[in-house]
Amino acid sequence: MSATTAPRWTEFAGIPLGAWAFALHIWTAVVLALCAAFWLQLEAPSTAAITVAILALPTRGQVLEKATFRLFATIIGVTTSIVIVGAFAQARDLLLGAVALWIGLCVYAAGLLDGSRAYAAVLSGYTVAFIAVQQMDTPQNVFESSVARGAAIAIGIAALAVVNTLLAAPDNHALLASRLAAIHQRVRAYVGAVLRGEEANATTAAEILRDIAALRPEMATLVPESSSGPARSAAARSTAVALVAELHAARALAAVPAATDPRCRETLIAALEHLAASPPLPHARDRETGDGPPLGAALEWGLAELLRRDAEVRQSLTALGSGSRPPLAWRTPFYRSHRLAAEAGARACFYLAAAAVFFVLGGWPDSDFSLSLVVVIIGLGATTPTPLGFTIMALVAAPIAGLLAGILKFVILDGATAFPLLAIALAPFVIGAAILMTRPNPLAAALGRLNLIFIPAILAPTNPQHYNPQTFLFTVLFVGMAAALLLAVQRLVPPVSDGRRRQRLTMSARHDLDRLLSWRERRLAAEEAMFRDAVRIGQIVAAGGAAPQHRAALEQTLVCFDQA
């Protein structure tokens, strides 16, 4: 058989080999983290395994960046826990109120950030829940619990870093470059549609801008990948900004009334197709002979701007591939709505306060564990587009994880205490959840991630392993109760609605256009301001703004984007 016809093994059992490699990385890191935690006799070795599950990301740069922010946020959370418990050790109600206010502040901060920074903000919140709330009755143990949790997290981070290094976890710059190149082709297709005289579709433009802005967190993950990481990150940012500017130039060109001459369109389309860096521009009509296309100053500017931006995109993509710094290093500012973030923070504070009142009135023992999980679901849900949907997914995942953990503990292990047996028994559960995370279906991916976190949390591996059915059932019950109670409270006072988000973001676009010449707006270059507006448009699309019934609001925001 020739080399050209030889089979290429790219998947096993219908699953890509990359997904299998990622799952094996995670299982190896979980086993290594548990082994180190058992050897050091930590108080809660399961925290090390949960840390690996939370940091389970496919590329090395993503893991290193998130791990750095996790460690930093843990320090903030531990410090805050010590302060809160020290101030309110003798007043449980005041302590819970202070924790609720802290959670609201952390959710507010997460609303002003994205990516790993938003995760660090909510982690600072639920670290306080795991330490301060669970040590309410024993405040003298707060410091020891904080040290043990910090040590377990450090072990989880170190285990994943060692595994990623030894097993050569992939870098992200090649995948990010291919995604930016694919978006570049979509922008070119949009430009071609504009030049052919087709209507500039608002939904298509908004979705392209959303996809460009959505890559912003990944650009930061290139920095820790290698020595050329900072240069690649700068090149990726410049590519994204140039793509937004090219799309803006295409929309500006479509708005020029003189952009109707067929020869002008053919010239520009040919230039784009052949990747000409600086093609000759058509000249204005000769007034005596009448030859030449009827170009005006605005049209000539639009053509030149479009070609210049396309050249910038290609130059930045080349720099990203080679690891060199781009000719222009742009920032990619994030649009922040303080009002929406404050509303989300206030709701998070209310959710925790209502749950705390419920558990206090119930008087159940060990309900502090369930209350801590309420905080975790509130925090992680705040980093997703739909917090209510995340709570529902947590409620679905909790019994599934409980069932799987029960099978693992009482059927497979069934009293075994040897660590090699625990490592082997964990394999199908950890690998299966990790593979599920790689599926393109977002619901399946979310279910896989939650099970990867919930299974070690419910199993709570110790050295030696305990097999108490009553304790296990109470743990499963409290995990499900946390999600169910939070869902009930969120039904009573829903999170910030998509309609409210669209309304607020659309109003902010008009307001920013009105104050365009103020000193605050001049802090950003024009290209950087375009990218920030693209982030806002992406947020509107994520809130359902691309739906037909909301398209008018989206078009209004795009008009502000064009005029700015």
Side-chain angles (χ1 to χ4, degrees):
M1 182 178 293
S2 65
T4 58
T5 59
R8 298 179 61 186
W9 299 102
T10 59
E11 60 181 38
F12 175 74
I15 299 173
L17 294 181
W20 284 107
F22 168 69
L24 289 173
H25 282 194
I26 301 305
W27 170 70
T28 305
V30 167
V31 171
L32 181 59
L34 285 176
C35 180
F38 287 165
W39 182 63
L40 295 174
Q41 298 182 354
L42 296 183
E43 177 184 342
S46 60
T47 302
I50 295 172
T51 297
V52 174
I54 291 175
L55 298 179
L57 294 167
T59 62
R60 180 171 51 184
Q62 290 174 311
V63 171
L64 291 175
E65 189 207 31
K66 193 170 185 178
T68 301
F69 280 105
R70 179 172 175 80
L71 200 58
F72 179 70
T74 300
I75 295 173
I76 295 176
V78 165
T79 305
T80 305
S81 299
I82 295 174
V83 171
I84 291 178
V85 173
F88 305 106
Q90 305 303 321
R92 171 178 292 199
D93 295 343
L94 293 179
L95 189 148
L96 290 175
V99 172
L101 289 175
W102 174 251
I103 296 303
L105 180 62
C106 292
V107 171
Y108 165 75
L112 303 178
L113 303 168
D114 66 339
S116 297
R117 291 168 177 80
Y119 165 74
V122 299
L123 174 61
S124 301
Y126 67 72
T127 297
V128 173
F130 276 116
I131 296 176
V133 174
Q134 294 191 22
Q135 300 295 333
M136 284 190 299
D137 298 327
T138 56
Q140 68 276 8
N141 295 334
V142 168
F143 182 77
E144 290 80 1
S145 177
S146 301
V147 172
R149 179 173 176 81
I153 289 174
I155 287 174
I157 292 172
L160 192 56
V162 169
V163 170
N164 282 341
T165 301
L166 295 179
L167 299 183
D171 290 334
N172 194 32
H173 67 267
L175 177 60
L176 183 59
S178 65
R179 295 173 68 180
L180 287 169
I183 294 177
H184 187 203
Q185 295 304 316
R186 292 169 60 191
V187 172
R188 284 173 170 273
Y190 183 85
V191 171
V194 168
L195 295 176
R196 287 191 296 271
E198 300 176 7
E199 183 179 357
N201 189 283
T203 302
T204 302
E207 290 176 348
I208 293 174
L209 292 174
R210 174 202 61 190
D211 293 343
I212 296 172
L215 297 178
R216 182 181 181 275
E218 292 190 36
M219 300 173 195
T221 66
L222 301 183
V223 175
E225 279 190 349
S226 62
S227 59
S228 61
R232 293 186 190 276
S233 180
R237 294 195 303 269
S238 297
T239 303
V241 171
L243 283 170
V244 172
E246 183 176 359
L247 185 66
H248 180 273
R251 291 183 60 81
L253 191 62
V256 177
T260 57
D261 186 86
R263 283 178 289 176
C264 296
R265 296 172 181 167
E266 292 174 1
T267 299
L268 186 56
I269 290 175
L272 293 175
E273 289 178 349
H274 292 87
L275 303 178
S278 55
L281 294 177
H283 298 287
R285 176 193 296 267
D286 190 306
R287 293 184 179 180
E288 296 182 359
T289 63
D291 295 333
L295 293 180
L299 184 56
E300 288 192 357
W301 174 88
L303 297 179
E305 180 72 4
L306 187 60
L307 294 172
R308 181 170 71 90
R309 297 301 185 184
D310 189 79
E312 288 179 2
V313 172
R314 288 184 276 110
Q315 291 172 357
S316 298
L317 280 174
T318 302
L320 175 58
S322 62
S324 58
R325 297 198 67 85
L328 298 173
W330 299 114
R331 295 174 297 172
T332 52
F334 183 73
Y335 176 76
R336 298 173 174 88
S337 175
H338 289 270
R339 182 170 298 184
L340 290 175
E343 291 180 8
R347 282 171 166 80
C349 180
F350 171 78
Y351 296 154
L352 180 56
V357 169
F358 175 82
F359 285 119
V360 169
L361 293 178
W364 293 314
D366 299 329
S367 60
D368 52 355
F369 174 71
S370 187
L371 188 59
S372 300
L373 289 178
V374 170
V375 180
V376 172
I377 299 174
I378 291 174
L380 294 180
T383 62
T384 63
T386 55
L388 183 61
F390 182 84
T391 304
I392 295 174
M393 183 58 64
L395 182 60
V396 173
I400 297 175
L403 177 62
L404 294 175
I407 294 173
L408 171 59
K409 189 167 190 174
F410 297 104
V411 177
I412 299 178
L413 292 175
D414 192 23
T417 58
F419 181 78
L421 295 178
L422 173 64
I424 296 172
L426 279 171
F429 298 92
V430 174
I431 292 175
I435 287 177
L436 198 60
M437 285 175 52
T438 64
R439 307 311 295 168
N441 188 319
L443 294 179
L447 188 62
R449 176 168 290 279
L450 286 173
N451 275 289
L452 189 62
I453 297 172
F454 282 170
I455 289 175
I458 296 174
L459 179 66
T462 57
N463 185 24
Q465 183 67 44
H466 299 297
Y467 294 91
N468 188 328
Q470 183 178 2
T471 302
F472 178 82
L473 288 176
F474 271 111
T475 301
V476 175
L477 175 63
F478 282 127
V479 170
M481 185 181 295
L485 178 59
L486 180 57
L487 180 60
V489 177
Q490 287 179 332
R491 289 293 188 184
L492 180 64
V493 180
V496 180
S497 66
D498 288 343
R500 170 64 178 163
R501 290 182 181 277
R502 287 193 302 269
Q503 180 186 19
R504 183 61 199 164
L505 292 170
T506 303
M507 290 175 58
S508 68
R510 294 197 299 267
H511 181 261
D512 286 353
L513 183 61
D514 293 337
R515 64 171 191 170
L516 187 62
L517 298 181
S518 70
W519 68 271
R520 293 184 64 183
E521 295 302 315
R522 289 201 296 269
R523 291 182 300 174
L524 296 176
E527 292 82 358
E528 295 169 344
M530 285 183 197
F531 187 88
R532 190 195 59 176
D533 291 343
V535 172
R536 174 166 45 201
I537 292 171
Q539 293 173 354
I540 294 176
V541 175
Q549 62 270 31
H550 307 303
R551 194 167 297 167
L554 182 62
E555 291 177 350
Q556 185 179 12
T557 308
L558 279 169
V559 168
C560 295
F561 171 75
D562 297 337
Q563 294 176 351

